[in-house]
Amino acid sequence: MITHSVAALGLAGAALSPAFAGNVQTTTISVTTGDLDLGTVKGQKTLDARVEKAVRSVCRTTSVTTGSRVMSQEARACLAKARSDARQQVAVLLSDERRGG
């Protein structure tokens, strides 16, 4: 099974906790793609779902914060950065797949 490091990669640690404000933490999650046929729409949609799950996990938006359903500005910034990074990595992965790599 092939594992590509594809999601949510250089994220601001301030999104994780006010205690880390000023410090930057980088979190990486690997998204498994070896079982997917990225040449198909189904495979690409499955990859998109895995990447989104990883992005939310890295930015810690999968856990409920008591008292509010509204995401903090830091969490929204983390999600935007992680999604942007992941989109770039997925584009490279799909390009490689199209070339037979």
Coordinates of all heavy atoms in Angstrom, one line a residue:
M1 N 0.8 -1.2 0.0 CA 0.0 0.0 0.0 C 0.9 1.2 0.0 O 1.8 1.3 0.8 CB -0.9 0.0 1.2 CG -1.9 1.1 1.2 SD -3.1 1.0 2.6 CE -3.9 -0.5 2.2
I2 N 0.6 2.2 -0.9 CA 1.4 3.4 -1.0 C 0.8 4.5 -0.1 O -0.4 4.6 0.0 CB 1.4 3.9 -2.4 CG1 1.9 2.8 -3.4 CG2 2.1 5.2 -2.6 CD1 1.8 3.1 -4.8
T3 N 1.6 5.2 0.6 CA 1.1 6.3 1.4 C 1.8 7.6 1.0 O 3.0 7.6 0.9 CB 1.4 6.0 2.9 OG1 0.8 4.8 3.3 CG2 0.9 7.2 3.8
H4 N 1.0 8.5 0.6 CA 1.5 9.8 0.3 C 1.2 10.8 1.4 O 0.1 10.8 1.9 CB 0.8 10.4 -1.0 CG 1.1 9.5 -2.2 ND1 2.2 9.6 -2.9 CD2 0.3 8.5 -2.8 CE1 2.2 8.7 -3.9 NE2 1.0 8.0 -3.8
S5 N 2.2 11.6 1.7 CA 1.9 12.6 2.7 C 1.2 13.8 2.0 O 1.8 14.5 1.3 CB 3.2 13.1 3.3 OG 3.0 14.1 4.3
V6 N -0.1 13.8 2.2 CA -0.9 14.8 1.4 C -1.7 15.7 2.3 O -2.6 15.8 2.1 CB -1.9 14.0 0.5 CG1 -2.8 14.9 -0.2 CG2 -1.2 13.2 -0.4
A7 N -1.8 16.0 3.3 CA -2.8 16.8 3.8 C -2.3 17.8 4.8 O -1.4 17.5 5.5 CB -4.0 16.0 4.4
A8 N -2.9 18.8 4.9 CA -2.8 19.7 6.0 C -1.5 19.9 6.7 O -1.3 19.5 7.8 CB -3.8 19.2 7.1
L9 N -0.6 20.5 6.0 CA 0.8 20.3 6.4 C 1.4 21.5 7.1 O 1.6 21.4 8.2 CB 1.4 19.9 5.2 CG 0.6 18.9 4.7 CD1 0.2 17.8 5.5 CD2 0.1 19.0 3.5
G10 N 1.7 22.5 6.8 CA 2.4 23.5 7.6 C 1.4 24.4 8.3 O 1.0 25.4 7.7
L11 N 0.9 24.1 9.4 CA -0.2 24.9 10.0 C 0.2 25.7 11.2 O 1.1 25.3 12.0 CB -1.3 23.9 10.5 CG -1.8 23.0 9.4 CD1 -2.7 22.0 9.9 CD2 -2.3 23.7 8.2
A12 N -0.4 26.8 11.5 CA -0.1 27.6 12.6 C -0.5 27.0 13.9 O -1.7 26.6 14.0 CB -0.8 29.0 12.4
G13 N 0.4 26.9 14.8 CA 0.1 26.3 16.1 C -0.8 27.1 16.9 O -1.5 26.6 17.8
A14 N -0.9 28.4 16.6 CA -1.9 29.3 17.4 C -3.3 28.8 17.2 O -4.2 29.1 18.0 CB -1.7 30.7 16.9
A15 N -3.6 28.1 16.1 CA -4.9 27.6 15.9 C -5.2 26.4 16.9 O -6.4 26.1 17.1 CB -5.1 27.1 14.5
L16 N -4.2 25.9 17.5 CA -4.4 24.7 18.3 C -4.7 25.1 19.8 O -5.5 24.5 20.4 CB -3.1 23.8 18.3 CG -2.7 23.3 16.9 CD1 -1.4 22.5 17.1 CD2 -3.8 22.5 16.3
S17 N -4.1 26.2 20.3 CA -4.3 26.5 21.6 C -3.7 27.9 21.9 O -2.6 28.2 21.4 CB -3.6 25.5 22.6 OG -3.6 26.0 23.9
P18 N -4.4 28.8 22.6 CA -3.8 30.1 23.0 C -2.5 30.0 23.7 O -1.7 30.9 23.7 CB -4.9 30.7 23.9 CG -6.1 29.9 23.6 CD -5.7 28.6 23.2
A19 N -2.3 28.8 24.4 CA -1.0 28.7 25.1 C 0.2 28.6 24.2 O 1.3 28.9 24.5 CB -1.0 27.4 25.9
F20 N -0.1 28.3 22.9 CA 1.0 28.2 21.9 C 1.1 29.5 21.1 O 1.9 29.6 20.2 CB 0.8 27.1 20.9 CG 0.8 25.7 21.6 CD1 -0.3 24.9 21.7 CD2 2.0 25.3 22.1 CE1 -0.2 23.7 22.2 CE2 2.1 24.0 22.7 CZ 1.0 23.2 22.8
A21 N 0.4 30.5 21.4 CA 0.4 31.8 20.7 C 1.8 32.3 20.5 O 2.6 32.3 21.5 CB -0.5 32.8 21.3
G22 N 2.2 32.6 19.3 CA 3.5 33.1 19.1 C 4.5 32.0 18.6 O 5.5 32.2 18.0
N23 N 4.1 30.7 19.0 CA 4.9 29.6 18.5 C 4.2 29.0 17.3 O 3.0 28.9 17.3 CB 5.0 28.5 19.6 CG 5.8 29.0 20.8 OD1 6.7 29.8 20.7 ND2 5.4 28.6 22.0
V24 N 4.9 28.5 16.4 CA 4.3 27.8 15.2 C 4.6 26.3 15.3 O 5.8 25.9 15.5 CB 4.9 28.4 13.9 CG1 4.3 27.6 12.7 CG2 4.5 29.8 13.8
Q25 N 3.6 25.5 15.2 CA 3.7 24.1 15.2 C 3.4 23.5 13.8 O 2.4 24.0 13.2 CB 2.8 23.4 16.2 CG 3.2 23.6 17.7 CD 2.3 22.9 18.6 OE1 1.2 22.6 18.3 NE2 2.9 22.5 19.7
T26 N 4.1 22.6 13.3 CA 3.7 22.0 12.1 C 3.2 20.5 12.4 O 3.9 19.8 13.1 CB 5.0 21.9 11.2 OG1 5.4 23.2 10.9 CG2 4.6 21.3 9.8
T27 N 2.1 20.2 11.8 CA 1.5 18.9 12.0 C 1.3 18.3 10.6 O 0.9 19.0 9.7 CB 0.2 19.0 12.7 OG1 0.4 19.7 14.0 CG2 -0.4 17.6 13.0
T28 N 1.7 17.0 10.5 CA 1.5 16.3 9.2 C 0.7 15.1 9.4 O 1.0 14.3 10.4 CB 2.9 16.0 8.6 OG1 3.7 17.2 8.4 CG2 2.8 15.3 7.3
I29 N -0.2 14.9 8.5 CA -1.0 13.6 8.5 C -0.8 13.0 7.2 O -0.9 13.7 6.2 CB -2.4 13.9 8.9 CG1 -2.6 14.3 10.3 CG2 -3.3 12.6 8.6 CD1 -4.1 14.5 10.7
S30 N -0.6 11.7 7.1 CA -0.5 11.0 5.9 C -1.8 10.5 5.4 O -2.6 10.0 6.3 CB 0.5 9.8 6.0 OG 1.8 10.3 6.2
V31 N -2.1 10.7 4.2 CA -3.4 10.2 3.6 C -3.1 9.1 2.7 O -2.3 9.2 1.7 CB -4.1 11.3 2.9 CG1 -5.4 10.8 2.2 CG2 -4.4 12.5 3.8
T32 N -3.6 7.9 2.9 CA -3.4 6.7 2.1 C -4.1 6.8 0.8 O -5.3 7.1 0.8 CB -3.8 5.4 2.9 OG1 -3.1 5.4 4.1 CG2 -3.5 4.2 2.1
T33 N -3.3 6.6 -0.3 CA -3.9 6.7 -1.6 C -3.7 5.4 -2.4 O -4.3 5.3 -3.5 CB -3.4 7.8 -2.4 OG1 -2.0 7.7 -2.6 CG2 -3.6 9.2 -1.7
G34 N -2.9 4.5 -1.9 CA -2.6 3.3 -2.7 C -3.7 2.4 -3.1 O -3.7 1.7 -4.1
D35 N -4.8 2.5 -2.3 CA -6.0 1.7 -2.6 C -7.0 2.4 -3.6 O -8.0 1.9 -3.9 CB -6.7 1.3 -1.3 CG -7.2 2.5 -0.6 OD1 -6.6 3.6 -0.6 OD2 -8.3 2.4 0.1
L36 N -6.6 3.6 -4.0 CA -7.5 4.4 -4.9 C -7.1 4.4 -6.3 O -5.9 4.4 -6.6 CB -7.5 5.9 -4.4 CG -8.0 6.1 -2.9 CD1 -7.9 7.6 -2.6 CD2 -9.4 5.6 -2.7
D37 N -8.0 4.4 -7.2 CA -7.7 4.6 -8.6 C -8.0 6.1 -8.9 O -9.1 6.5 -9.1 CB -8.6 3.7 -9.5 CG -8.4 3.9 -11.0 OD1 -7.5 4.8 -11.4 OD2 -9.0 3.2 -11.8
L38 N -6.9 6.9 -8.9 CA -7.0 8.3 -9.0 C -7.3 8.7 -10.4 O -7.5 9.9 -10.7 CB -5.8 9.0 -8.5 CG -5.5 8.7 -7.0 CD1 -4.2 9.4 -6.6 CD2 -6.7 9.2 -6.1
G39 N -7.4 7.8 -11.3 CA -7.8 8.1 -12.7 C -9.3 8.1 -12.9 O -9.8 8.4 -13.9
T40 N -10.0 7.8 -11.8 CA -11.5 7.8 -11.8 C -12.1 8.9 -10.9 O -11.4 9.4 -10.0 CB -12.1 6.5 -11.4 OG1 -11.8 6.3 -10.0 CG2 -11.5 5.3 -12.1
V41 N -13.3 9.3 -11.3 CA -13.9 10.4 -10.5 C -14.2 9.8 -9.1 O -14.0 10.5 -8.1 CB -15.3 10.8 -11.1 CG1 -16.1 11.7 -10.2 CG2 -15.0 11.5 -12.4
K42 N -14.6 8.6 -9.0 CA -14.8 7.9 -7.6 C -13.6 8.0 -6.8 O -13.6 8.3 -5.6 CB -15.3 6.5 -7.8 CG -15.6 5.8 -6.5 CD -16.1 4.4 -6.7 CE -16.3 3.7 -5.3 NZ -16.7 2.3 -5.5
G43 N -12.4 7.6 -7.4 CA -11.2 7.6 -6.6 C -10.8 9.0 -6.2 O -10.3 9.2 -5.0
Q44 N -11.0 10.0 -7.0 CA -10.7 11.4 -6.7 C -11.6 11.9 -5.6 O -11.2 12.6 -4.7 CB -10.7 12.3 -7.9 CG -9.6 11.9 -8.9 CD -9.6 12.7 -10.2 OE1 -10.3 13.8 -10.3 NE2 -9.0 12.2 -11.2
K45 N -12.9 11.5 -5.6 CA -13.8 12.0 -4.6 C -13.5 11.4 -3.3 O -13.6 12.0 -2.2 CB -15.3 11.7 -5.0 CG -15.8 12.6 -6.1 CD -17.3 12.4 -6.3 CE -17.8 13.4 -7.3 NZ -19.2 13.3 -7.5
T46 N -13.1 10.1 -3.3 CA -12.7 9.4 -2.1 C -11.4 10.1 -1.5 O -11.3 10.4 -0.3 CB -12.4 7.9 -2.3 OG1 -13.6 7.4 -2.8 CG2 -12.0 7.2 -1.0
L47 N -10.5 10.5 -2.3 CA -9.3 11.2 -1.9 C -9.7 12.5 -1.3 O -9.2 12.9 -0.2 CB -8.3 11.4 -3.0 CG -7.0 12.2 -2.7 CD1 -6.2 11.6 -1.6 CD2 -6.2 12.4 -4.0
D48 N -10.6 13.3 -2.0 CA -11.0 14.6 -1.4 C -11.6 14.4 0.0 O -11.3 15.2 0.9 CB -12.0 15.2 -2.4 CG -11.4 15.7 -3.7 OD1 -10.2 15.8 -3.8 OD2 -12.2 15.9 -4.6
A49 N -12.4 13.4 0.2 CA -13.0 13.2 1.5 C -11.9 12.8 2.5 O -12.0 13.3 3.7 CB -14.0 12.0 1.4
R50 N -11.0 12.0 2.2 CA -9.9 11.7 3.1 C -9.1 12.9 3.5 O -8.7 13.1 4.6 CB -9.0 10.6 2.5 CG -9.6 9.3 2.4 CD -8.7 8.3 1.8 NE -9.4 7.0 1.6 CZ -8.8 5.9 1.1 NH1 -7.5 6.0 0.7 NH2 -9.5 4.8 0.9
V51 N -8.8 13.8 2.5 CA -8.0 15.0 2.7 C -8.8 15.9 3.6 O -8.2 16.5 4.5 CB -7.6 15.7 1.4 CG1 -7.1 17.1 1.6 CG2 -6.6 14.8 0.6
E52 N -10.1 16.1 3.4 CA -10.9 17.0 4.2 C -10.9 16.5 5.6 O -10.8 17.3 6.6 CB -12.3 17.1 3.6 CG -13.2 18.0 4.4 CD -12.7 19.5 4.5 OE1 -11.9 19.9 3.6 OE2 -13.1 20.2 5.4
K53 N -11.0 15.2 5.8 CA -11.0 14.6 7.2 C -9.7 14.9 7.8 O -9.6 15.3 9.0 CB -11.3 13.1 7.1 CG -11.3 12.4 8.5 CD -11.7 11.0 8.3 CE -11.7 10.3 9.7 NZ -12.0 8.9 9.6
A54 N -8.6 14.7 7.1 CA -7.2 15.0 7.6 C -7.1 16.5 8.0 O -6.5 16.8 9.0 CB -6.2 14.5 6.6
V55 N -7.5 17.3 7.1 CA -7.4 18.8 7.4 C -8.1 19.1 8.7 O -7.6 19.8 9.5 CB -8.0 19.6 6.2 CG1 -8.3 21.0 6.5 CG2 -7.1 19.5 5.0
R56 N -9.3 18.6 8.8 CA -10.1 18.9 10.0 C -9.4 18.3 11.3 O -9.5 18.9 12.4 CB -11.5 18.5 9.9 CG -12.3 19.3 8.9 CD -13.8 18.9 8.8 NE -14.5 19.9 8.2 CZ -14.9 21.1 8.7 NH1 -14.7 21.4 9.9 NH2 -15.6 22.0 8.0
S57 N -8.8 17.2 11.1 CA -8.1 16.6 12.2 C -6.9 17.4 12.6 O -6.7 17.7 13.8 CB -7.7 15.2 11.9 OG -7.0 14.6 12.9
V58 N -6.1 17.8 11.7 CA -4.9 18.6 11.9 C -5.3 19.9 12.6 O -4.6 20.4 13.5 CB -4.1 18.8 10.7 CG1 -3.1 19.9 10.8 CG2 -3.4 17.5 10.2
C59 N -6.4 20.5 12.1 CA -6.8 21.8 12.7 C -7.6 21.7 13.9 O -8.1 22.7 14.5 CB -7.5 22.6 11.6 SG -6.4 23.1 10.2
R60 N -7.8 20.5 14.3 CA -8.6 20.1 15.5 C -10.0 20.7 15.5 O -10.5 21.2 16.5 CB -7.9 20.6 16.8 CG -6.5 19.9 16.9 CD -5.9 20.0 18.2 NE -4.6 19.3 18.2 CZ -4.0 19.0 19.3 NH1 -4.4 19.4 20.4 NH2 -2.8 18.4 19.2
T61 N -10.7 20.7 14.4 CA -12.0 21.1 14.3 C -13.0 20.0 14.4 O -14.2 20.1 14.2 CB -12.3 21.9 12.9 OG1 -12.0 21.0 11.9 CG2 -11.4 23.1 12.9
T62 N -12.5 18.8 14.6 CA -13.4 17.6 14.7 C -13.9 17.4 16.1 O -14.9 16.7 16.4 CB -12.6 16.3 14.3 OG1 -11.5 16.2 15.1 CG2 -12.2 16.3 12.9
S63 N -13.3 18.1 17.1 CA -13.8 18.0 18.5 C -14.7 19.2 18.8 O -14.5 20.3 18.3 CB -12.6 18.0 19.5 OG -11.8 19.1 19.3
V64 N -15.7 19.0 19.6 CA -16.6 20.0 20.0 C -16.0 20.9 21.1 O -15.5 20.3 22.1 CB -17.9 19.4 20.4 CG1 -18.9 20.5 20.9 CG2 -18.5 18.5 19.3
T65 N -16.1 22.2 21.0 CA -15.7 23.1 22.0 C -16.9 23.5 22.8 O -17.9 24.0 22.2 CB -15.0 24.4 21.4 OG1 -13.9 23.9 20.7 CG2 -14.6 25.3 22.5
T66 N -16.9 23.3 24.1 CA -18.1 23.6 24.9 C -18.4 25.1 24.8 O -17.5 25.9 25.0 CB -17.8 23.2 26.4 OG1 -17.4 21.8 26.4 CG2 -19.0 23.4 27.2
G67 N -19.7 25.4 24.6 CA -20.1 26.8 24.7 C -20.3 27.5 23.4 O -20.9 28.5 23.3
S68 N -19.7 26.9 22.3 CA -19.9 27.6 21.0 C -19.7 26.6 19.9 O -18.9 25.7 19.9 CB -18.8 28.7 20.9 OG -18.9 29.3 19.6
R69 N -20.5 26.8 18.8 CA -20.3 26.1 17.6 C -19.6 26.9 16.6 O -19.3 26.4 15.5 CB -21.7 25.7 17.0 CG -22.5 24.7 17.8 CD -23.7 24.3 17.1 NE -24.7 23.8 18.1 CZ -25.9 23.5 17.8 NH1 -26.4 23.7 16.6 NH2 -26.7 23.1 18.7
V70 N -19.3 28.1 16.9 CA -18.7 29.0 15.9 C -17.2 28.8 16.0 O -16.6 28.7 17.1 CB -19.0 30.5 16.3 CG1 -18.2 31.4 15.4 CG2 -20.5 30.7 16.2
M71 N -16.5 28.6 14.9 CA -15.1 28.3 14.8 C -14.4 29.6 15.1 O -14.8 30.7 14.6 CB -14.7 27.8 13.4 CG -14.5 26.4 13.4 SD -13.8 25.9 11.8 CE -15.2 25.2 11.0
S72 N -13.2 29.5 15.8 CA -12.4 30.7 16.0 C -11.8 31.2 14.7 O -11.7 30.4 13.7 CB -11.3 30.4 17.0 OG -10.4 29.5 16.4
Q73 N -11.3 32.4 14.7 CA -10.6 32.9 13.5 C -9.4 32.1 13.2 O -9.0 31.8 12.1 CB -10.2 34.4 13.7 CG -9.6 35.0 12.5 CD -9.3 36.5 12.7 OE1 -9.6 37.0 13.8 NE2 -8.8 37.1 11.7
E74 N -8.7 31.6 14.3 CA -7.5 30.8 14.1 C -7.8 29.5 13.5 O -7.1 29.0 12.6 CB -6.8 30.6 15.5 CG -6.2 31.8 16.1 CD -7.2 32.7 16.9 OE1 -8.3 32.3 17.1 OE2 -6.8 33.8 17.3
A75 N -8.9 28.9 13.9 CA -9.3 27.6 13.3 C -9.7 27.8 11.8 O -9.3 26.9 11.0 CB -10.5 27.0 14.1
R76 N -10.4 28.8 11.5 CA -10.7 29.1 10.1 C -9.5 29.3 9.3 O -9.3 28.8 8.1 CB -11.7 30.3 10.0 CG -13.1 29.9 10.5 CD -14.1 31.0 10.1 NE -13.8 32.3 10.6 CZ -14.1 32.8 11.8 NH1 -14.8 32.1 12.6 NH2 -13.7 34.0 12.1
A77 N -8.5 30.1 9.8 CA -7.2 30.3 9.1 C -6.5 29.0 8.9 O -5.9 28.8 7.9 CB -6.4 31.3 9.9
C78 N -6.5 28.2 9.9 CA -5.8 26.9 9.9 C -6.4 26.0 8.8 O -5.7 25.5 7.9 CB -5.9 26.2 11.2 SG -5.1 24.5 11.2
L79 N -7.7 26.0 8.7 CA -8.4 25.2 7.7 C -8.1 25.7 6.3 O -7.8 25.0 5.4 CB -9.9 25.2 7.9 CG -10.5 24.4 9.1 CD1 -11.9 24.7 9.3 CD2 -10.3 22.9 8.8
A80 N -8.1 27.1 6.1 CA -7.8 27.6 4.8 C -6.4 27.3 4.4 O -6.1 26.9 3.2 CB -8.0 29.2 4.9
K81 N -5.4 27.4 5.3 CA -4.0 27.1 4.9 C -3.8 25.6 4.6 O -3.2 25.2 3.7 CB -3.1 27.5 6.1 CG -1.7 27.1 6.0 CD -0.8 28.0 5.2 CE 0.6 27.6 5.3 NZ 1.2 27.0 4.1
A82 N -4.4 24.8 5.5 CA -4.3 23.3 5.3 C -4.9 22.9 4.0 O -4.4 22.1 3.2 CB -5.0 22.6 6.4
R83 N -6.1 23.4 3.7 CA -6.8 23.1 2.4 C -6.0 23.6 1.2 O -5.8 22.8 0.2 CB -8.2 23.7 2.3 CG -9.1 23.0 3.2 CD -10.5 23.6 3.2 NE -11.4 22.9 4.0 CZ -12.3 23.5 4.9 NH1 -12.4 24.8 5.0 NH2 -13.1 22.7 5.6
S84 N -5.4 24.7 1.3 CA -4.6 25.3 0.2 C -3.3 24.4 0.0 O -3.0 24.0 -1.1 CB -4.1 26.7 0.5 OG -3.2 27.2 -0.4
D85 N -2.7 24.0 1.1 CA -1.5 23.1 1.0 C -1.9 21.8 0.4 O -1.2 21.2 -0.5 CB -0.9 22.9 2.4 CG -0.2 24.2 2.9 OD1 0.0 25.1 2.1 OD2 0.2 24.2 4.1
A86 N -3.0 21.2 0.9 CA -3.4 19.9 0.4 C -3.8 20.0 -1.1 O -3.5 19.0 -1.8 CB -4.6 19.5 1.3
R87 N -4.5 21.0 -1.5 CA -4.8 21.2 -2.9 C -3.6 21.1 -3.8 O -3.6 20.5 -4.9 CB -5.6 22.5 -3.2 CG -7.1 22.3 -3.0 CD -7.8 23.5 -3.6 NE -7.5 24.8 -2.9 CZ -8.0 25.3 -1.8 NH1 -9.0 24.6 -1.2 NH2 -7.6 26.4 -1.4
Q88 N -2.6 21.8 -3.4 CA -1.3 21.8 -4.2 C -0.7 20.4 -4.2 O -0.3 19.9 -5.3 CB -0.3 22.8 -3.6 CG -0.7 24.2 -3.7 CD 0.2 25.1 -3.0 OE1 1.2 24.7 -2.3 NE2 -0.1 26.4 -3.0
Q89 N -0.7 19.7 -3.1 CA -0.1 18.4 -3.1 C -1.0 17.4 -3.9 O -0.4 16.5 -4.6 CB 0.0 17.9 -1.7 CG 1.1 18.7 -0.9 CD 1.3 18.2 0.5 OE1 1.2 17.0 0.8 NE2 1.4 19.1 1.4
V90 N -2.3 17.5 -3.8 CA -3.2 16.6 -4.6 C -3.0 16.9 -6.1 O -3.0 15.9 -6.9 CB -4.7 16.8 -4.2 CG1 -5.6 16.1 -5.1 CG2 -4.9 16.2 -2.7
A91 N -2.9 18.1 -6.5 CA -2.6 18.5 -7.9 C -1.4 17.8 -8.4 O -1.4 17.2 -9.5 CB -2.6 20.0 -8.1
V92 N -0.3 17.8 -7.6 CA 0.9 17.1 -8.0 C 0.7 15.6 -8.1 O 1.1 15.0 -9.1 CB 2.1 17.5 -7.0 CG1 3.3 16.6 -7.3 CG2 2.5 18.9 -7.2
L93 N 0.0 15.1 -7.2 CA -0.2 13.7 -7.1 C -1.1 13.2 -8.4 O -0.7 12.3 -9.0 CB -1.0 13.3 -5.8 CG -1.3 11.8 -5.6 CD1 -0.1 11.0 -5.5 CD2 -2.2 11.7 -4.4
L94 N -2.1 14.0 -8.7 CA -2.9 13.7 -9.8 C -2.2 13.8 -11.1 O -2.3 13.1 -12.1 CB -4.2 14.5 -9.8 CG -5.2 14.2 -8.7 CD1 -6.4 15.2 -8.7 CD2 -5.6 12.8 -8.7
S95 N -1.3 14.8 -11.2 CA -0.5 15.1 -12.4 C 0.5 13.9 -12.6 O 0.6 13.4 -13.7 CB 0.3 16.4 -12.2 OG 1.2 16.5 -13.3
D96 N 1.1 13.4 -11.5 CA 2.0 12.3 -11.6 C 1.2 11.0 -12.0 O 1.7 10.2 -12.8 CB 2.6 12.0 -10.2 CG 3.7 13.0 -9.9 OD1 4.0 13.8 -10.8 OD2 4.1 13.0 -8.7
E97 N 0.0 10.9 -11.5 CA -0.9 9.7 -11.9 C -1.2 9.7 -13.3 O -1.2 8.7 -14.0 CB -2.2 9.8 -11.0 CG -3.1 8.6 -11.3 CD -2.6 7.3 -10.6 OE1 -1.8 7.3 -9.7 OE2 -3.2 6.3 -11.1
R98 N -1.5 10.9 -13.9 CA -1.9 11.0 -15.3 C -0.7 10.7 -16.2 O -0.8 10.2 -17.3 CB -2.3 12.4 -15.6 CG -3.7 12.7 -15.1 CD -4.3 14.0 -15.6 NE -5.4 14.3 -14.8 CZ -5.4 15.3 -13.8 NH1 -4.4 16.1 -13.6 NH2 -6.5 15.5 -13.1
R99 N 0.5 10.9 -15.7 CA 1.8 10.6 -16.5 C 2.2 9.2 -16.3 O 3.3 8.8 -16.7 CB 2.9 11.6 -16.1 CG 2.6 13.0 -16.6 CD 3.8 13.9 -16.3 NE 3.8 14.1 -14.8 CZ 4.6 14.9 -14.2 NH1 5.5 15.6 -14.9 NH2 4.5 15.0 -12.9
G100 N 1.5 8.5 -15.5 CA 1.8 7.1 -15.3 C 2.7 6.9 -14.1 O 3.3 5.8 -13.9
G101 N 2.9 7.9 -13.2 CA 3.8 7.8 -12.1 C 3.1 7.3 -10.9 O 3.3 6.7 -10.0

